Coordinates of all heavy atoms in Angstrom, one line a residue:
P176 N 2.1 -12.4 33.3 CA 2.9 -11.3 33.7 C 3.7 -11.6 35.0 O 3.4 -12.5 35.7 CB 1.8 -10.2 34.0 CG 0.5 -10.9 34.1 CD 0.7 -12.3 33.4
F177 N 4.7 -10.8 35.1 CA 5.6 -10.9 36.3 C 4.8 -10.6 37.6 O 4.0 -9.7 37.6 CB 6.8 -10.1 36.2 CG 7.7 -10.4 35.1 CD1 7.7 -9.6 34.0 CD2 8.5 -11.5 35.2 CE1 8.6 -9.9 32.9 CE2 9.4 -11.9 34.1 CZ 9.4 -11.0 33.0
S178 N 5.2 -11.3 38.6 CA 4.6 -10.9 39.9 C 5.7 -10.8 41.0 O 5.4 -10.6 42.2 CB 3.6 -12.0 40.4 OG 4.3 -13.2 40.6
H179 N 7.0 -10.9 40.6 CA 8.0 -10.8 41.5 C 9.3 -10.3 40.8 O 9.6 -10.7 39.8 CB 8.3 -12.2 42.1 CG 9.3 -12.2 43.2 ND1 9.0 -11.9 44.5 CD2 10.7 -12.4 43.2 CE1 10.1 -12.0 45.3 NE2 11.1 -12.2 44.5
V180 N 10.0 -9.3 41.4 CA 11.2 -8.7 40.8 C 12.2 -8.7 42.0 O 11.9 -8.3 43.1 CB 11.0 -7.3 40.3 CG1 12.2 -6.7 39.7 CG2 9.9 -7.3 39.2
D181 N 13.5 -9.1 41.6 CA 14.6 -9.0 42.6 C 15.6 -8.0 42.1 O 15.9 -7.9 41.0 CB 15.3 -10.4 42.8 CG 14.4 -11.4 43.5 OD1 13.6 -11.0 44.3 OD2 14.6 -12.6 43.3
F182 N 16.2 -7.3 43.1 CA 17.3 -6.4 42.8 C 18.5 -7.0 43.7 O 18.4 -7.0 44.8 CB 17.0 -5.0 43.3 CG 15.8 -4.4 42.6 CD1 14.5 -4.6 43.2 CD2 15.9 -3.8 41.4 CE1 13.4 -4.0 42.5 CE2 14.8 -3.3 40.7 CZ 13.6 -3.4 41.2
E183 N 19.5 -7.4 42.9 CA 20.6 -8.1 43.6 C 21.8 -7.1 43.9 O 22.0 -6.2 43.2 CB 21.1 -9.2 42.7 CG 20.1 -10.3 42.5 CD 20.6 -11.4 41.7 OE1 21.8 -11.4 41.3 OE2 19.8 -12.3 41.4
R184 N 22.4 -7.5 45.0 CA 23.7 -6.8 45.4 C 24.8 -7.2 44.4 O 24.8 -8.3 43.8 CB 24.1 -7.2 46.8 CG 23.2 -6.8 47.9 CD 23.9 -7.2 49.2 NE 23.0 -6.8 50.3 CZ 22.4 -7.7 51.1 NH1 22.5 -9.0 50.9 NH2 21.6 -7.3 52.1
N185 N 25.7 -6.3 44.2 CA 26.8 -6.7 43.3 C 27.7 -7.8 43.9 O 28.3 -8.5 43.2 CB 27.7 -5.5 43.0 CG 27.0 -4.5 42.1 OD1 26.1 -4.8 41.4 ND2 27.3 -3.2 42.3
Y186 N 27.8 -7.8 45.2 CA 28.7 -8.8 45.9 C 28.1 -10.0 46.4 O 28.6 -10.9 47.0 CB 29.4 -8.1 47.0 CG 28.5 -7.5 48.1 CD1 28.1 -8.4 49.2 CD2 28.1 -6.2 48.1 CE1 27.2 -7.9 50.1 CE2 27.2 -5.7 49.0 CZ 26.8 -6.6 50.1 OH 25.9 -6.1 51.0
S187 N 26.8 -10.2 46.1 CA 26.1 -11.4 46.6 C 25.1 -11.8 45.5 O 24.6 -11.1 44.7 CB 25.4 -11.0 47.9 OG 24.5 -12.1 48.3
L188 N 24.7 -13.1 45.6 CA 23.7 -13.6 44.7 C 22.3 -13.5 45.3 O 21.3 -13.7 44.6 CB 24.0 -15.1 44.3 CG 25.3 -15.3 43.5 CD1 25.5 -16.8 43.3 CD2 25.2 -14.6 42.2
S189 N 22.2 -13.1 46.5 CA 20.9 -12.9 47.2 C 20.4 -11.5 46.9 O 21.2 -10.6 47.0 CB 21.0 -13.3 48.6 OG 21.8 -12.3 49.3
P190 N 19.1 -11.4 46.7 CA 18.6 -10.0 46.5 C 18.5 -9.2 47.8 O 18.3 -9.7 48.8 CB 17.1 -10.3 46.0 CG 16.8 -11.7 46.5 CD 18.1 -12.4 46.6
F191 N 18.8 -7.9 47.6 CA 18.7 -7.0 48.8 C 17.3 -6.4 48.9 O 16.9 -5.9 49.9 CB 19.8 -6.0 48.9 CG 19.7 -4.9 47.9 CD1 19.2 -3.7 48.2 CD2 20.3 -5.1 46.6 CE1 19.2 -2.7 47.3 CE2 20.2 -4.1 45.7 CZ 19.7 -2.9 46.0
L192 N 16.6 -6.3 47.7 CA 15.2 -5.8 47.7 C 14.4 -6.7 46.7 O 15.0 -7.2 45.7 CB 15.2 -4.4 47.1 CG 15.6 -3.3 48.0 CD1 15.5 -2.0 47.2 CD2 14.7 -3.2 49.2
S193 N 13.2 -6.9 47.1 CA 12.3 -7.7 46.1 C 11.0 -6.9 46.1 O 10.6 -6.3 47.0 CB 12.1 -9.1 46.6 OG 11.5 -9.2 47.8
C194 N 10.4 -7.0 45.0 CA 9.0 -6.4 44.7 C 8.1 -7.6 44.5 O 8.4 -8.4 43.6 CB 9.1 -5.4 43.6 SG 10.0 -4.0 43.8
A195 N 6.9 -7.5 45.1 CA 5.9 -8.5 44.9 C 4.5 -7.9 44.9 O 4.3 -7.0 45.7 CB 6.0 -9.6 45.9
G196 N 3.6 -8.4 44.2 CA 2.3 -7.9 44.2 C 1.7 -8.0 42.8 O 2.1 -8.7 41.9
D197 N 0.7 -7.1 42.6 CA 0.0 -7.1 41.3 C 0.5 -5.9 40.5 O 0.0 -4.8 40.8 CB -1.5 -7.0 41.6 CG -2.3 -7.1 40.3 OD1 -1.8 -6.9 39.2 OD2 -3.5 -7.4 40.3
F198 N 1.4 -6.1 39.6 CA 2.0 -5.0 38.9 C 1.1 -4.4 37.9 O 1.1 -3.2 37.7 CB 3.3 -5.5 38.2 CG 4.4 -5.9 39.2 CD1 5.2 -7.0 38.9 CD2 4.6 -5.2 40.4 CE1 6.2 -7.4 39.8 CE2 5.6 -5.5 41.3 CZ 6.4 -6.6 41.0
L199 N 0.2 -5.2 37.3 CA -0.7 -4.6 36.3 C -1.7 -3.7 36.9 O -2.1 -2.7 36.4 CB -1.5 -5.8 35.6 CG -0.6 -6.5 34.5 CD1 -1.4 -7.6 33.9 CD2 -0.1 -5.6 33.5
D200 N -2.2 -4.0 38.1 CA -3.1 -3.1 38.9 C -2.3 -2.1 39.7 O -3.0 -1.4 40.5 CB -4.1 -4.0 39.7 CG -5.2 -4.5 38.9 OD1 -5.5 -4.0 37.8 OD2 -5.8 -5.5 39.3
R201 N -1.0 -2.2 39.7 CA -0.2 -1.2 40.4 C -0.4 -1.2 41.9 O -0.5 -0.2 42.5 CB -0.4 0.2 39.9 CG -0.3 0.4 38.3 CD 1.0 -0.1 37.7 NE 1.3 0.6 36.5 CZ 0.9 0.2 35.3 NH1 0.1 -0.8 35.2 NH2 1.3 0.8 34.2
R202 N -0.3 -2.4 42.5 CA -0.4 -2.6 43.9 C 0.7 -3.6 44.3 O 0.6 -4.8 44.0 CB -1.8 -3.2 44.3 CG -2.9 -2.2 44.2 CD -4.1 -2.8 44.8 NE -4.3 -4.2 44.4 CZ -5.3 -4.6 43.6 NH1 -6.2 -3.8 43.1 NH2 -5.4 -5.9 43.2
F203 N 1.8 -3.1 44.8 CA 2.9 -4.0 45.2 C 3.7 -3.5 46.4 O 3.5 -2.3 46.7 CB 3.8 -4.2 44.0 CG 4.3 -3.1 43.3 CD1 5.6 -2.6 43.6 CD2 3.6 -2.4 42.3 CE1 6.1 -1.4 43.0 CE2 4.1 -1.3 41.6 CZ 5.3 -0.8 42.0
V204 N 4.5 -4.3 46.9 CA 5.3 -3.9 48.1 C 6.8 -4.2 47.7 O 7.1 -5.1 46.9 CB 5.0 -4.6 49.4 CG1 3.6 -4.3 49.8 CG2 5.1 -6.2 49.2
M205 N 7.7 -3.5 48.4 CA 9.1 -3.8 48.3 C 9.5 -4.3 49.7 O 9.1 -3.8 50.7 CB 9.9 -2.5 48.0 CG 9.6 -1.9 46.6 SD 10.5 -0.4 46.3 CE 12.2 -1.1 46.0
K206 N 10.3 -5.4 49.7 CA 10.8 -6.0 50.9 C 12.3 -6.0 50.9 O 12.9 -6.2 49.8 CB 10.2 -7.4 51.0 CG 8.7 -7.5 51.2 CD 8.3 -8.9 51.4 CE 6.8 -9.0 51.5 NZ 6.3 -10.4 51.7
N207 N 12.9 -5.9 52.1 CA 14.3 -6.0 52.2 C 14.8 -7.4 52.3 O 13.9 -8.3 52.2 CB 14.9 -5.2 53.3 CG 14.4 -5.6 54.7 OD1 13.8 -6.7 54.8 ND2 14.5 -4.8 55.7
D208 N 16.0 -7.7 52.4 CA 16.5 -9.1 52.5 C 16.1 -9.8 53.7 O 16.3 -11.0 53.8 CB 18.1 -9.1 52.3 CG 18.8 -8.3 53.3 OD1 18.1 -7.6 54.1 OD2 20.0 -8.4 53.3
K209 N 15.5 -9.1 54.7 CA 15.0 -9.8 55.9 C 13.5 -10.1 55.7 O 12.9 -10.6 56.7 CB 15.2 -8.9 57.1 CG 16.7 -8.7 57.4 CD 16.8 -7.7 58.5 CE 18.3 -7.4 58.7 NZ 18.5 -6.2 59.6
G210 N 12.9 -9.7 54.6 CA 11.5 -10.0 54.4 C 10.6 -8.9 54.9 O 9.4 -9.0 54.9
E211 N 11.2 -7.8 55.4 CA 10.4 -6.7 56.0 C 9.9 -5.8 54.9 O 10.7 -5.4 53.9 CB 11.3 -5.9 57.0 CG 11.8 -6.7 58.1 CD 12.9 -6.0 58.9 OE1 13.6 -5.1 58.3 OE2 13.0 -6.3 60.1
V212 N 8.7 -5.4 54.9 CA 8.1 -4.4 54.0 C 8.8 -3.1 54.2 O 8.7 -2.5 55.3 CB 6.6 -4.4 54.0 CG1 6.1 -3.3 53.1 CG2 6.0 -5.7 53.7
V213 N 9.4 -2.5 53.2 CA 10.1 -1.2 53.3 C 9.4 -0.1 52.4 O 9.7 1.0 52.6 CB 11.6 -1.3 52.9 CG1 12.3 -2.1 53.9 CG2 11.8 -1.8 51.5
A214 N 8.4 -0.6 51.6 CA 7.6 0.4 50.8 C 6.4 -0.3 50.3 O 6.4 -1.5 50.0 CB 8.4 0.9 49.7
K215 N 5.3 0.5 50.3 CA 4.1 0.1 49.6 C 3.7 1.0 48.6 O 3.7 2.2 48.8 CB 2.9 0.0 50.7 CG 3.1 -1.0 51.7 CD 1.9 -1.0 52.7 CE 2.1 -2.0 53.8 NZ 1.0 -1.9 54.8
I216 N 3.4 0.5 47.3 CA 3.1 1.3 46.2 C 1.7 0.9 45.7 O 1.5 -0.2 45.4 CB 4.1 1.2 45.1 CG1 5.5 1.6 45.6 CG2 3.8 2.0 43.9 CD1 6.4 0.5 46.0
T217 N 0.8 1.9 45.6 CA -0.5 1.7 45.1 C -0.9 2.8 44.2 O -0.5 4.0 44.4 CB -1.6 1.6 46.2 OG1 -1.6 2.7 47.0 CG2 -1.4 0.3 47.0
Q218 N -1.6 2.5 43.1 CA -2.0 3.6 42.2 C -3.3 4.2 42.8 O -4.2 3.4 43.2 CB -2.3 3.0 40.8 CG -2.7 4.1 39.8 CD -2.8 3.5 38.4 OE1 -2.8 2.4 38.2 NE2 -2.9 4.5 37.4
D219 N -3.3 5.5 42.9 CA -4.4 6.2 43.4 C -5.4 6.4 42.3 O -5.1 7.1 41.3 CB -4.0 7.6 44.0 CG -5.1 8.3 44.6 OD1 -6.2 7.9 44.5 OD2 -4.8 9.3 45.3
R220 N -6.6 5.8 42.4 CA -7.5 5.9 41.3 C -8.6 7.0 41.5 O -9.5 7.1 40.7 CB -8.2 4.6 41.1 CG -7.2 3.5 40.9 CD -7.8 2.4 40.1 NE -6.9 1.2 40.0 CZ -6.1 1.1 39.0 NH1 -6.0 1.9 38.0 NH2 -5.3 0.0 38.9
L221 N -8.3 7.9 42.4 CA -9.2 9.0 42.6 C -9.2 10.0 41.4 O -10.2 10.6 41.0 CB -8.9 9.8 43.9 CG -9.2 9.0 45.2 CD1 -8.7 9.8 46.4 CD2 -10.6 8.6 45.3
I222 N -8.0 10.2 40.9 CA -7.8 11.1 39.8 C -7.1 10.3 38.7 O -6.0 9.9 38.9 CB -6.9 12.3 40.2 CG1 -7.5 13.1 41.3 CG2 -6.7 13.2 39.0 CD1 -6.7 14.2 41.9
E223 N -7.8 10.2 37.5 CA -7.1 9.4 36.5 C -7.1 10.2 35.2 O -8.1 10.8 34.8 CB -7.9 8.1 36.2 CG -7.8 7.0 37.3 CD -8.3 5.7 36.9 OE1 -7.9 5.2 35.8 OE2 -9.1 5.1 37.6
F224 N -5.9 10.2 34.6 CA -5.7 10.8 33.3 C -5.0 9.8 32.4 O -4.2 9.0 32.9 CB -4.9 12.1 33.4 CG -5.6 13.2 34.1 CD1 -5.3 13.4 35.4 CD2 -6.5 14.0 33.5 CE1 -5.9 14.4 36.2 CE2 -7.1 15.0 34.2 CZ -6.8 15.2 35.5
D225 N -5.3 9.8 31.1 CA -4.6 8.8 30.2 C -3.1 9.2 30.1 O -2.3 8.3 29.9 CB -5.2 8.9 28.8 CG -6.6 8.2 28.8 OD1 -6.8 7.4 29.7 OD2 -7.4 8.5 27.9
Q226 N -2.7 10.4 30.3 CA -1.3 10.9 30.1 C -0.4 10.5 31.2 O 0.8 10.4 31.1 CB -1.2 12.4 29.8 CG -1.9 12.8 28.6 CD -3.4 12.9 28.6 OE1 -4.0 12.9 29.7 NE2 -4.0 13.1 27.5
F227 N -0.9 10.3 32.5 CA -0.1 10.0 33.6 C -0.9 9.3 34.7 O -2.1 9.3 34.7 CB 0.6 11.3 34.2 CG -0.4 12.3 34.8 CD1 -0.8 12.2 36.1 CD2 -0.9 13.3 34.0 CE1 -1.7 13.1 36.6 CE2 -1.8 14.3 34.5 CZ -2.2 14.2 35.8
N228 N -0.1 8.6 35.5 CA -0.7 7.9 36.7 C -0.3 8.6 38.0 O 0.7 9.3 38.1 CB -0.1 6.5 36.7 CG -0.5 5.7 35.5 OD1 -1.7 5.8 35.0 ND2 0.4 4.9 35.0
H229 N -1.2 8.4 38.9 CA -1.0 9.1 40.3 C -0.9 7.9 41.3 O -1.7 7.0 41.3 CB -2.2 10.0 40.6 CG -2.0 10.7 41.8 ND1 -2.8 10.4 43.0 CD2 -1.2 11.8 42.2 CE1 -2.4 11.3 44.0 NE2 -1.5 12.1 43.5
Y230 N 0.2 8.0 42.1 CA 0.5 6.9 43.0 C 0.5 7.4 44.5 O 0.8 8.5 44.7 CB 1.8 6.3 42.8 CG 1.9 5.4 41.5 CD1 2.1 6.0 40.3 CD2 1.6 4.1 41.6 CE1 2.1 5.2 39.2 CE2 1.6 3.3 40.5 CZ 1.8 3.8 39.2 OH 1.8 3.1 38.1
Q231 N 0.2 6.5 45.4 CA 0.4 6.6 46.8 C 1.6 5.8 47.1 O 1.6 4.6 46.9 CB -0.8 6.2 47.6 CG -2.0 7.1 47.4 CD -1.9 8.4 48.1 OE1 -1.3 8.5 49.1 NE2 -2.5 9.4 47.5
I232 N 2.6 6.3 47.7 CA 3.9 5.6 48.1 C 4.1 5.7 49.6 O 4.3 6.9 50.0 CB 5.1 5.9 47.2 CG1 4.7 5.7 45.7 CG2 6.3 5.1 47.6 CD1 5.9 6.1 44.8
Q233 N 4.2 4.7 50.3 CA 4.5 4.7 51.7 C 5.9 4.1 51.9 O 6.1 3.0 51.4 CB 3.5 4.0 52.6 CG 2.2 4.5 52.5 CD 1.1 3.7 53.2 OE1 1.3 2.4 53.3 NE2 0.1 4.3 53.7
I234 N 6.8 4.8 52.5 CA 8.2 4.4 52.6 C 8.6 4.3 54.1 O 8.4 5.2 54.8 CB 9.2 5.3 51.9 CG1 8.7 5.5 50.4 CG2 10.6 4.9 51.9 CD1 9.4 6.5 49.6
A235 N 9.2 3.2 54.5 CA 9.7 3.0 55.8 C 10.9 3.9 56.1 O 11.6 4.2 55.2 CB 10.1 1.5 56.0
A236 N 11.0 4.2 57.4 CA 12.2 5.0 57.8 C 13.5 4.3 57.5 O 13.6 3.0 57.6 CB 12.1 5.2 59.4
G237 N 14.4 5.0 57.0 CA 15.7 4.4 56.6 C 15.8 4.0 55.2 O 16.9 3.6 54.7
M238 N 14.7 3.9 54.5 CA 14.7 3.4 53.1 C 14.9 4.6 52.2 O 14.5 5.7 52.5 CB 13.3 2.8 52.8 CG 13.2 2.2 51.4 SD 14.4 0.9 51.2 CE 14.3 0.6 49.4
D239 N 15.7 4.4 51.1 CA 16.0 5.5 50.2 C 14.7 5.8 49.3 O 14.3 5.0 48.5 CB 17.1 5.0 49.3 CG 17.6 6.0 48.3 OD1 16.9 7.1 48.2 OD2 18.6 5.8 47.6
P240 N 14.2 7.0 49.5 CA 12.9 7.3 48.8 C 13.1 7.4 47.3 O 12.2 7.1 46.5 CB 12.5 8.6 49.4 CG 13.7 9.2 50.1 CD 14.5 8.0 50.4
M241 N 14.3 7.9 46.8 CA 14.5 8.0 45.4 C 14.6 6.6 44.7 O 14.2 6.4 43.6 CB 15.8 8.8 45.1 CG 15.7 10.3 45.5 SD 14.2 11.1 44.7 CE 14.7 11.0 43.0
L242 N 15.2 5.6 45.5 CA 15.2 4.3 44.9 C 13.8 3.7 44.8 O 13.5 3.1 43.8 CB 16.1 3.4 45.8 CG 16.1 1.9 45.4 CD1 16.8 1.7 44.0 CD2 16.9 1.1 46.4
V243 N 13.0 3.9 45.8 CA 11.6 3.4 45.7 C 10.9 4.1 44.5 O 10.2 3.4 43.8 CB 10.8 3.7 47.0 CG1 9.4 3.4 46.9 CG2 11.5 2.9 48.2
V244 N 11.0 5.4 44.4 CA 10.3 6.1 43.3 C 10.8 5.6 41.9 O 10.0 5.4 41.0 CB 10.4 7.6 43.5 CG1 9.9 8.4 42.2 CG2 9.7 8.1 44.7
A245 N 12.1 5.5 41.8 CA 12.7 5.0 40.6 C 12.2 3.6 40.2 O 11.9 3.3 39.0 CB 14.3 5.0 40.7
C246 N 12.2 2.7 41.2 CA 11.6 1.4 41.0 C 10.2 1.4 40.6 O 9.7 0.7 39.6 CB 11.8 0.5 42.2 SG 13.5 0.1 42.6
A247 N 9.4 2.2 41.2 CA 8.0 2.4 40.9 C 7.8 2.9 39.4 O 6.9 2.4 38.7 CB 7.3 3.3 41.9
C248 N 8.6 3.8 39.1 CA 8.5 4.4 37.7 C 8.9 3.3 36.7 O 8.3 3.2 35.6 CB 9.4 5.6 37.5 SG 8.9 7.0 38.4
A249 N 10.0 2.5 37.0 CA 10.4 1.5 36.1 C 9.4 0.4 35.9 O 9.1 0.0 34.8 CB 11.7 0.9 36.6
I250 N 8.8 0.0 37.0 CA 7.7 -1.0 36.9 C 6.5 -0.4 36.2 O 5.9 -1.1 35.3 CB 7.3 -1.5 38.3 CG1 8.5 -2.3 38.9 CG2 6.0 -2.3 38.3 CD1 8.4 -2.7 40.3
D251 N 6.1 0.8 36.4 CA 5.0 1.5 35.7 C 5.3 1.5 34.2 O 4.4 1.1 33.4 CB 4.8 2.9 36.2 CG 3.7 3.6 35.5 OD1 2.6 3.3 35.7 OD2 4.0 4.5 34.6
E252 N 6.4 1.8 33.8 CA 6.8 1.9 32.4 C 6.7 0.5 31.8 O 6.3 0.3 30.7 CB 8.1 2.5 32.1 CG 8.1 4.0 32.3 CD 7.2 4.7 31.3 OE1 7.3 4.4 30.1 OE2 6.4 5.6 31.7
E253 N 7.3 -0.5 32.5 CA 7.3 -1.8 32.0 C 6.0 -2.4 31.7 O 5.8 -3.1 30.7 CB 8.1 -2.8 32.9 CG 8.3 -4.1 32.5 CD 9.2 -4.3 31.2 OE1 10.1 -3.5 31.0 OE2 9.0 -5.3 30.5
F254 N 5.1 -2.2 32.6 CA 3.7 -2.8 32.5 C 2.7 -1.9 31.9 O 1.5 -2.2 31.9 CB 3.3 -3.3 33.9 CG 4.1 -4.5 34.3 CD1 5.2 -4.4 35.1 CD2 3.7 -5.7 33.9 CE1 5.9 -5.4 35.5 CE2 4.5 -6.8 34.2 CZ 5.6 -6.7 35.0
D255 N 3.0 -0.7 31.5 CA 2.1 0.3 31.0 C 1.3 -0.3 29.8 O 0.1 -0.1 29.6 CB 2.7 1.6 30.6 CG 1.8 2.8 30.5 OD1 0.8 2.8 31.3 OD2 2.0 3.6 29.6
E256 N 2.0 -0.8 28.8 CA 1.4 -1.4 27.6 C 0.5 -2.5 27.9 O -0.6 -2.6 27.4 CB 2.5 -1.9 26.6 CG 3.2 -0.7 25.9 CD 2.3 0.3 25.2 OE1 1.4 -0.2 24.5 OE2 2.5 1.5 25.3
E257 N 0.9 -3.4 28.8 CA 0.0 -4.5 29.2 C -1.2 -4.0 29.9 O -2.3 -4.5 29.7 CB 0.8 -5.5 30.1 CG 1.8 -6.3 29.4 CD 2.5 -7.3 30.3 OE1 1.8 -8.0 31.1 OE2 3.8 -7.4 30.2
H258 N -1.1 -3.0 30.7 CA -2.2 -2.4 31.5 C -3.2 -1.7 30.4 O -4.4 -1.9 30.6 CB -1.7 -1.3 32.4 CG -2.7 -0.7 33.3 ND1 -3.4 -1.4 34.3 CD2 -3.3 0.5 33.3 CE1 -4.3 -0.7 34.8 NE2 -4.3 0.5 34.3
K259 N -2.7 -1.1 29.4 CA -3.5 -0.5 28.4 C -4.3 -1.6 27.7 O -5.5 -1.4 27.4 CB -2.7 0.3 27.4 CG -2.3 1.7 28.0 CD -1.4 2.4 26.9 CE -0.9 3.7 27.5 NZ 0.0 4.4 26.6
K260 N -3.7 -2.7 27.3 CA -4.4 -3.8 26.6 C -5.5 -4.3 27.5 O -6.6 -4.6 27.0 CB -3.4 -4.9 26.2 CG -2.4 -4.5 25.1 CD -1.5 -5.6 24.9 CE -0.4 -5.2 24.0 NZ 0.7 -6.2 23.8
R261 N -5.2 -4.5 28.8 CA -6.2 -5.1 29.7 C -7.4 -4.1 29.9 O -8.5 -4.6 29.9 CB -5.5 -5.3 31.0 CG -6.3 -6.0 32.1 CD -5.5 -6.3 33.3 NE -6.3 -6.8 34.4 CZ -5.9 -7.0 35.6 NH1 -4.7 -6.7 35.9 NH2 -6.7 -7.4 36.5
K262 N -7.1 -2.8 30.0 CA -8.1 -1.9 30.1 C -9.1 -1.8 28.9 O -10.3 -1.7 29.0 CB -7.5 -0.5 30.4 CG -8.4 0.6 30.9 CD -7.6 1.8 31.3 CE -8.5 2.8 32.1 NZ -7.8 4.0 32.5
E263 N -8.5 -1.9 27.7 CA -9.2 -1.9 26.5 C -10.1 -3.2 26.4 O -11.3 -3.1 26.0 CB -8.3 -1.9 25.3 CG -7.6 -0.6 25.0 CD -6.6 -0.7 23.9 OE1 -6.4 -1.7 23.3 OE2 -5.9 0.4 23.7
Q264 N -9.6 -4.3 26.8 CA -10.4 -5.5 26.9 C -11.6 -5.4 27.8 O -12.7 -5.9 27.6 CB -9.6 -6.7 27.2 CG -8.6 -7.1 26.1 CD -7.7 -8.2 26.6 OE1 -7.6 -8.6 27.7 NE2 -6.9 -8.7 25.6
Q265 N -11.4 -4.7 29.0 CA -12.5 -4.6 29.9 C -13.6 -3.6 29.4 O -14.7 -3.8 29.8 CB -11.9 -4.1 31.3 CG -11.1 -5.0 32.0 CD -10.5 -4.4 33.3 OE1 -10.5 -3.3 33.5 NE2 -9.9 -5.3 34.1
N266 N -13.2 -2.7 28.6 CA -14.1 -1.7 28.1 C -15.0 -2.2 26.9 O -15.9 -1.5 26.5 CB -13.5 -0.4 27.7 CG -12.9 0.4 28.9 OD1 -13.4 0.2 30.0 ND2 -11.9 1.1 28.7
R267 N -14.6 -3.4 26.4 CA -15.4 -4.0 25.3 C -16.7 -4.5 25.8 O -17.0 -4.9 26.7 CB -14.6 -5.0 24.6 CG -13.4 -4.5 23.9 CD -12.7 -5.5 23.1 NE -11.5 -5.0 22.6 CZ -10.6 -5.7 22.0 NH1 -10.8 -7.0 21.8 NH2 -9.5 -5.1 21.4

């Protein structure tokens, strides 16, 4: 599975945001092009339902919260099937 995602600027080949961490367990950070953590995303396992996931998201001042939430949702959707397969294997 992926452990690193880059979001590139249109005018540059260098990424302006990167995501790194454990996407299957829903624990990852977003970093800016200076390597500073601008958001931390973790799945809150206190309340679990099969129909939806609950997250804790910490966002640094000046970071666009909608971009962080959109990225978290995209990553959640991308890895949801893999997460379900892994959970099924653990329950066997």
Side-chain angles (χ1 to χ4, degrees):
F177 296 104
S178 63
H179 185 86
V180 178
D181 288 334
F182 300 92
E183 295 182 2
R184 293 183 182 115
N185 290 333
Y186 59 87
S187 172
L188 295 178
S189 64
F191 72 96
L192 285 177
S193 64
C194 293
D197 187 342
F198 296 139
L199 287 178
D200 281 336
R201 309 303 204 276
R202 289 186 316 247
F203 53 95
V204 296
M205 295 179 76
K206 295 181 181 182
N207 62 16
D208 56 355
K209 297 174 186 168
E211 301 167 330
V212 174
V213 293
K215 292 181 184 179
I216 298 99
T217 55
Q218 186 173 8
D219 184 351
R220 302 209 186 266
L221 294 175
I222 302 171
E223 288 193 52
F224 295 98
D225 289 336
Q226 293 82 10
F227 63 89
N228 296 321
H229 185 251
Y230 286 89
Q231 295 285 328
I232 300 178
Q233 298 173 331
I234 303 170
M238 183 61 189
D239 182 352
M241 292 306 295
L242 177 61
V243 174
V244 171
C246 291
C248 289
I250 290 169
D251 177 72
E252 285 298 313
E253 182 66 28
F254 288 94
D255 198 39
E256 289 301 318
E257 289 183 45
H258 185 69
K259 285 180 185 177
K260 289 177 189 175
R261 185 175 173 191
K262 197 172 187 179
E263 288 173 1
Q264 290 174 352
Q265 289 175 349
N266 291 333
R267 288 183 187 177

